[in-house]
Amino acid sequence: MADVKQTSTWLSLLSHRRLVGGLVLRELFDKDPHRFRRFSLEQEGILFDYSKNLITEDTVRLLLDLAREAGLEDWRARLFSGEPVNHTERRAALHMALRAPDQDWKAQGESVSEQVRTILARMERFAEEVRSGAYRGCGGESISDVVHIGIGGSDLGPRLVLEALASFADGPQVHFVSNVDGVELERALAHCDPRRTLFTIVSKSFGTLETLSNAEAARAWFLDSGAGEAEIGRHFIAITANTERAVKFGIDAEQILPMWDWVGGRYSVWSAVGLPIALACGMENFRRLLAGAAAMDAHFRDAPLETNMPVLLAMLGLWHIDFMGIGAHAVVPYTERLATLPHYLQQLEMESNGKSVDRDGNSVSYPTAPVIWGQTGTVGQHAFFQALHQGPQPVPVDFIGVASPTTRFDDHHDKLMANLFAQAEALMRGQSADEARALMARQGLKAGEIERLLPFRVFPGNRPSNVLLLDRLTPERLGALIALYEHKVFCQSVIWRLNAFDQWGVELGKQLADSLLPALREGDGLDQRDSSTRGLVEHYRAWRSQS
Ligand code: F6P
């Protein structure tokens, strides 16, 4: 296939970018009172305002031409039809089947909906038993705590959802343990009574160092409490695609829920991986989450590109990365309930599209996934916003807010949201020299002082941002929001000609860590290493032996 950078639309976008480079956002708003209406849309209770990007109607038209030329509509159909779009692993990527189990879905020709419904029913029964107190721990009491052990896609989804839906939680308390740093496990176990604790061990491969180390330590902690091996079955559940390894680990076969190879780890919160959500919030709320995501799926599948929220979000991202030359993207949720969202999106976007080899194995000649980072507002405002406003490199921001308060401190909410809207406005408008002078004069500064401070008080503005405003933070809205980003990532992968569903780039570090462990413990094979690695390990061994 021809290099996407040589296509006429890509070249048109490059010359269009030069034109747009001379535009000033605040002037575009002044000239066009309908700019907001022109560049915003609403879907599933999510208002997407993209009017504060340096774009015109021509920009959007050209970007959508690019999407069409890349075959986005065809790829979208292939995704939904369960074709093996993850070609390196010969797998479909059919996470959408998990959220609309009543429809007939096929992964590579094989029906999957029946098994999805069966597992949902199993989750429902189990969650109901635990939540009602009918399910008893080995001491004969009900389950009070769930320790969820998993990492990456086996952790971030349920972690994000339970943080977001905390006000819907009325079941056992869920603690998350992902890192192989023992601190997390120690912290979680400090809250738990072994006789009333359920462990959900989640690993698609059941071969991940972090998860297995934590699971083994959790089992030892459980047995140390005086519980017998026979009681492990009641307290340990596995969610995995590798039943054999889970059984070998000591988990009863009846206590294992499946993960399927047509669902990628970072797309798996909708599967049995979401069990802790059902345990904490009830199955009805879990189904509401699925329904919200399914509604966004239907929109993505059926809406024309011009009014398709994931497509527009994707193409604007691509505009910044490939045409404006910006390699970073900030995600700033204005609710502590979505504090995990930047981390979740880091994995979703950077593990999916952080690649430089296309589907045919050729090196790509354009930048792909940007660095995704962020923090909640207003906290981030007092940390990195200085650089967003006055740093030399503009960074596009996704501001995410919720119109209904998510806490009982109602009065805080308007202040919080005023900050969100103000930050987006400030990035767009900036502050000219005249405005800065007038402001300082109003503040009573003398003329000499005004001129001395002037360079520091000017804001360039013209900095792009999106606002995603949710009417409420419900399971449906959250499901739709996550699905929106999933499809954004898929759309970008199509233009970049990447496989968004594999992650070979995480393997090398894992292999080296495995081979370094004996070096750390026994000094084995150190002479084979480079001088830096050898020097570090030798220091580590020396200092560790003194501790
Ligand atoms: O980081 C690599 C990765 O394979 C992720 O894609 C995945 O979400 C995570 O590790 C955990 O993998 P597993 O579920 O197999 O333990």
Side-chain angles (χ1 to χ4, degrees):
M1 237 182 161
D3 185 345
V4 66
K5 276 181 79 176
Q6 301 308 324
T7 60
S8 62
T9 309
W10 190 285
L11 297 173
S12 303
L13 273 159
L14 279 181
S15 33
H16 176 73
R17 186 256 172 273
R18 281 190 284 279
L19 196 93
V20 167
L23 298 176
V24 179
L25 268 174
R26 61 154 82 185
E27 287 173 7
L28 295 177
F29 273 98
D30 290 345
K31 269 191 226 142
D32 177 7
H34 303 299
R35 188 172 169 85
F36 166 74
R37 212 183 54 208
R38 212 179 295 289
F39 296 121
S40 64
L41 76 151
E42 197 187 318
Q43 192 68 42
E44 306 313 320
I46 302 175
L47 171 68
F48 174 35
D49 172 18
Y50 57 100
S51 60
K52 294 195 187 77
N53 288 286
L54 208 49
I55 53 167
T56 64
E57 284 183 317
D58 280 345
T59 324
V60 177
R61 184 180 49 74
L62 283 167
L63 286 168
L64 295 180
D65 285 350
L66 187 70
R68 282 204 174 86
E69 271 177 29
L72 179 59
E73 286 150 316
D74 180 45
W75 276 101
R76 181 177 59 180
R78 293 166 76 173
L79 175 78
F80 277 87
S81 70
E83 273 190 39
V85 289
N86 177 357
H87 72 306
T88 58
E89 297 179 299
R90 298 198 167 86
R91 291 174 182 167
L94 208 56
H95 36 284
M96 297 80 67
L98 303 168
R99 359 208 232 219
D102 294 333
Q103 292 172 26
D104 183 24
W105 296 89
K106 289 192 173 65
Q108 299 190 65
E110 258 185 54
S111 288
V112 296
S113 303
E114 188 57 45
Q115 44 182 331
V116 172
R117 288 194 288 269
T118 305
I119 295 308
L120 282 171
R122 237 180 106 184
M123 284 170 73
E124 182 146 25
R125 276 196 305 276
F126 184 67
E128 195 36 51
E129 273 184 48
V130 172
R131 286 166 58 78
S132 67
Y135 191 93
R136 302 275 158 161
C138 58
E141 290 176 84
S142 60
I143 298 297
S144 58
D145 292 84
V146 173
V147 177
H148 181 91
I149 298 178
I151 196 163
S154 297
D155 163 73
L156 285 164
R159 200 188 272 259
L160 166 69
V161 172
L162 278 182
E163 192 172 66
L165 302 183
S167 57
F168 291 80
D170 55 3
Q173 169 107 40
V174 181
H175 313 271
F176 288 92
V177 176
S178 61
N179 205 336
V180 74
D181 178 351
V183 170
E184 256 195 322
L185 184 63
E186 217 163 70
R187 260 191 216 140
L189 296 181
H191 297 279
C192 301
D193 169 353
R195 289 157 309 167
R196 300 191 64 193
T197 300
L198 190 68
F199 292 91
T200 48
I201 316 294
V202 184
S203 175
K204 190 171 174 188
S205 57
F206 224 82
T208 304
L209 168 93
E210 293 87 340
T211 303
L212 293 190
S213 305
N214 281 321
E216 269 155 23
R219 184 176 56 186
W221 175 84
F222 177 73
L223 292 174
D224 273 357
S225 72
E229 292 269 353
E231 281 148 344
I232 285 183
R234 281 208 83 61
H235 288 262
F236 283 75
I237 299 213
I239 297 150
T240 184
N242 198 330
T243 309
E244 206 179 308
R245 278 198 190 154
V247 169
K248 213 158 157 198
F249 175 88
I251 295 183
D252 290 357
E254 316 81 75
Q255 296 284 72
I256 299 174
L257 288 160
M259 287 172 84
W260 295 291
D261 69 1
W262 44 269
V263 179
R266 55 191 172 275
Y267 300 87
S268 66
V269 62
W270 324 99
S271 69
V273 172
L275 182 66
I277 304 167
L279 291 169
C281 302
M283 197 62 187
E284 193 193 324
N285 284 317
F286 186 63
R287 286 189 191 273
R288 288 176 61 189
L289 179 84
L290 301 183
M296 185 55 77
D297 293 340
H299 163 71
F300 173 54
R301 189 191 51 212
D302 301 333
L305 303 192
E306 284 70 15
T307 51
N308 196 308
M309 201 181 278
V311 173
L312 290 166
L313 189 62
M315 298 314 292
L316 288 164
L318 204 118
W319 170 241
H320 294 131
I321 300 156
D322 292 309
F323 298 96
M324 307 292 258
I326 307 175
H329 191 105
V331 177
V332 187
Y334 274 68
T335 163
E336 288 298 323
R337 293 264 181 251
L338 293 177
T340 300
L341 188 65
H343 307 290
Y344 182 87
L345 294 181
Q346 257 168 10
Q347 190 202 19
L348 181 63
E349 302 215 11
M350 295 171 78
E351 195 165 89
S352 297
N353 284 341
K355 293 166 189 168
S356 45
V357 171
D358 72 11
R359 302 179 66 85
D360 299 323
N362 302 315
S363 293
V364 301
S365 56
Y366 37 81
T368 59
V371 175
I372 302 282
W373 55 284
Q375 193 181 9
T376 51
T378 60
V379 179
Q381 288 175 209
H382 299 272
F384 56 85
F385 270 54
Q386 163 65 39
L388 294 186
H389 287 290
Q390 289 186 321
Q393 288 151 352
V395 177
V397 184
D398 282 1
F399 290 103
I400 296 153
V402 185
S404 311
T406 50
T407 80
R408 66 192 165 87
F409 298 109
D410 205 73
D411 179 55
H412 286 41
H413 198 64
D414 292 338
K415 296 175 190 165
L416 178 71
M417 294 303 289
N419 270 279
L420 184 164
F421 301 134
Q423 290 298 332
E425 189 180 25
L427 285 168
M428 181 275 284
R429 292 192 69 78
Q431 181 166 266
S432 68
D434 284 349
E435 286 168 340
R437 271 197 198 93
L439 175 72
M440 287 189 278
R442 283 200 301 280
Q443 290 169 341
L445 271 68
K446 302 249 165 24
E449 190 63 356
I450 289 178
E451 289 313 308
R452 189 179 74 82
L453 287 178
L454 190 61
F456 308 101
R457 305 284 307 253
V458 168
F459 289 66
N462 234 19
R463 305 211 154 184
S465 69
N466 294 316
V467 176
L468 289 160
L469 181 63
L470 279 59
D471 59 352
R472 286 163 289 138
L473 189 53
T474 58
E476 289 87 349
R477 299 298 183 254
L478 183 66
L481 181 72
I482 301 172
L484 165 66
Y485 275 101
E486 285 179 351
H487 294 314
K488 167 201 168 176
V489 167
F490 173 70
C491 293
Q492 291 186 335
S493 78
V494 171
I495 319 300
W496 289 327
R497 297 179 177 168
L498 303 174
N499 174 1
F501 300 108
D502 59 11
Q503 57 283 319
W504 299 103
V506 300
E507 295 302 325
L508 178 60
K510 285 188 198 171
Q511 284 160 26
L512 290 181
D514 282 351
S515 73
L516 266 171
L517 195 56
L520 261 65
R521 291 192 166 150
E522 316 292 341
D524 291 355
L526 266 183
D527 49 342
Q528 314 289 321
R529 303 280 175 174
D530 61 84
S531 63
S532 165
T533 309
R534 193 166 59 239
L536 289 166
V537 173
E538 280 168 358
H539 272 73
Y540 170 80
R541 281 173 53 77
W543 284 346
R544 188 157 174 11
S545 69
Q546 292 159 16
S547 60

